[in-house]
Amino acid sequence: MSAPTLSYAVHSLDKLLLLPAGSVLSNETMDALIFSNRAGFYQTYSLLQHGSVKEDLLNFLGQPPYHRIFSGQRQIKELLNLMDNVYLLLPVLQSLDYFKLNDSYTYRHILMVFSLSTLLAKDLMSDYQDQIREISTSPNHDFGKICVPVHILRKSAPLTRSELNIMKHHALAGYVLLCYYLKDTSNIAAIVARDHHERKDCSGYPCGIPLADRMVEIIAVSDIYDALISPRPYRPVSYDNRTALEEVTKMAERNEIGWEVVKALVSHNRKEKPHYSESKVSSEKRGASPPGNLYGVIDEGKGNPQDPSHNPLLYES
């Protein structure tokens, strides 16, 4: 993979410039960035014990369709026990506070991707330590959105192409931020932040590389699904659950994501909860995009917004 180039600057939440626009994220650049951080290693803190995270998470889990996916107090208790082992850097936890105050959509999304990826990791990661490592990365996936202006995150009208590019900047921004704080360019949390919009067929961004890591793929699928079934500023009505699952299934059919993760997601949406290896995914598609959905529509500044791509999941996240 050739080193990507930043289209926009990367700042920390306290406005510290980490890298300017135009920086090539070469090994030399990233090593220099890490060396510039003289703060020492950052202490980590429990995610579930931070602020109202646990209370908010339980509230979100009780809302449809998650109330069906996370059915039963025993299952929720097991998941909370697993989540209790998740400790995050203070800057990441501070970003949750920032999103809760400024962009409730992103705050809820981060917690639900965390919950869903935890559930799927239990199915798809056999080793307990791998599960902990997996779910510890998911709350970091949208960390880079602290570099996206709030008015763009909350915009209800179609994005301009410039705004769309700024939105997509969050993937590389998250990678830079986490490399800086973790002092490690190979840390899986930084890789997740960079690659959760990549696809198996190389059709994703920011680098157009194959989505090959199972941990990243679990978070990518959770990210897509939650974005579809959740309220968004640009969509007054969410996708119904069946249509959301159909959209994810279409991505597997196009080889953008893998079938095993999709089958695990589908299994948890069924009352009988079959093992994902036994789950049958229907090829029938009956759903439709919700009314008033502005997702994927670009404001070209000519009074005639255009759909820039056949792909209905261009910036859904």
Side-chain angles (χ1 to χ4, degrees), residues 1-193:
M1 180 182 74
S2 58
T5 300
L6 290 177
S7 298
Y8 305 92
V10 177
H11 292 85
S12 66
L13 200 54
D14 57 1
K15 308 303 181 184
L16 174 67
L17 175 65
L18 299 188
L19 287 176
S23 298
V24 178
L25 303 187
S26 63
N27 292 336
E28 294 77 14
T29 298
M30 299 308 294
D31 287 345
L33 173 69
I34 291 171
F35 182 76
S36 71
N37 185 356
R38 306 299 180 87
F41 289 95
Y42 293 82
Q43 188 172 348
T44 59
Y45 301 86
S46 169
L47 172 60
L48 288 188
Q49 299 305 315
H50 181 75
S52 62
V53 164
K54 186 174 182 179
E55 177 184 352
D56 295 337
L57 188 148
L58 289 172
N59 177 46
F60 297 149
L61 288 178
Q63 300 172 5
Y66 286 111
H67 73 299
R68 180 172 62 249
I69 295 173
F70 294 87
S71 58
Q73 292 300 313
R74 179 179 177 182
Q75 183 186 52
I76 292 177
K77 184 177 180 180
E78 288 176 352
L79 286 170
L80 289 177
N81 287 338
L82 192 59
M83 292 174 175
D84 265 332
N85 293 279
V86 175
Y87 284 72
L88 299 177
L89 297 173
L90 183 58
V92 176
L93 294 175
Q94 290 172 332
S95 74
L96 286 177
D97 298 334
Y98 168 81
F99 290 128
K100 183 172 183 178
L101 179 64
N102 295 286
D103 180 24
S104 59
Y105 296 98
T106 297
Y107 175 73
R108 181 189 183 280
H109 176 66
I110 290 172
L111 293 186
M112 298 321 294
V113 171
F114 170 55
S115 302
L116 186 56
S117 59
T118 302
L119 185 67
L120 298 182
K122 287 190 66 181
D123 291 341
L124 298 163
M125 310 290 292
S126 58
D127 183 84
Y128 180 79
Q129 291 304 317
D130 283 346
Q131 293 176 22
I132 296 299
R133 182 168 173 256
E134 159 71 17
I135 66 173
S136 295
T137 66
S138 59
N140 300 278
H141 84 282
D142 271 349
F143 185 31
K145 284 187 176 178
I146 65 171
C147 295
V148 178
V150 171
H151 76 271
I152 294 179
L153 291 175
R154 297 173 58 178
K155 188 175 181 181
S156 58
L159 298 179
T160 65
R161 288 194 177 274
S162 176
E163 290 169 336
L164 173 59
N165 290 333
I166 294 172
M167 179 74 79
K168 293 168 73 172
H169 169 63
H170 81 274
L172 286 181
Y175 173 70
V176 169
L177 286 159
L178 287 165
C179 287
Y180 176 78
Y181 289 121
L182 294 166
K183 302 191 176 189
D184 180 8
T185 58
S186 63
N187 188 283
I188 186 61
I191 302 302
V192 163

Side-chain angles (χ1 to χ4, degrees), residues 199-270:
R199 301 293 178 250
K200 293 175 74 68
D201 66 347
C202 302
S203 64
Y205 70 87
C207 301
I209 58 175
L211 178 61
D213 189 289
R214 172 52 59 86
M215 292 186 286
V216 180
E217 187 180 15
I218 289 172
I219 293 168
V221 172
S222 301
D223 181 50
I224 295 162
Y225 174 74
D226 181 72
L228 289 168
I229 55 92
S230 300
R232 311 299 281 182
Y234 49 79
R235 185 177 57 229
V237 180
S238 302
Y239 278 74
D240 66 81
N241 196 49
R242 179 187 175 90
T243 306
L245 291 172
E246 288 178 359
E247 291 292 340
V248 175
T249 300
K250 289 177 187 177
M251 295 184 69
E253 292 171 344
R254 295 193 296 261
N255 193 38
E256 295 173 13
I257 54 179
W259 279 107
E260 281 195 337
V261 184
V262 173
K263 287 182 177 181
L265 174 62
V266 170
S267 293
H268 282 290
N269 273 278
R270 290 182 173 157

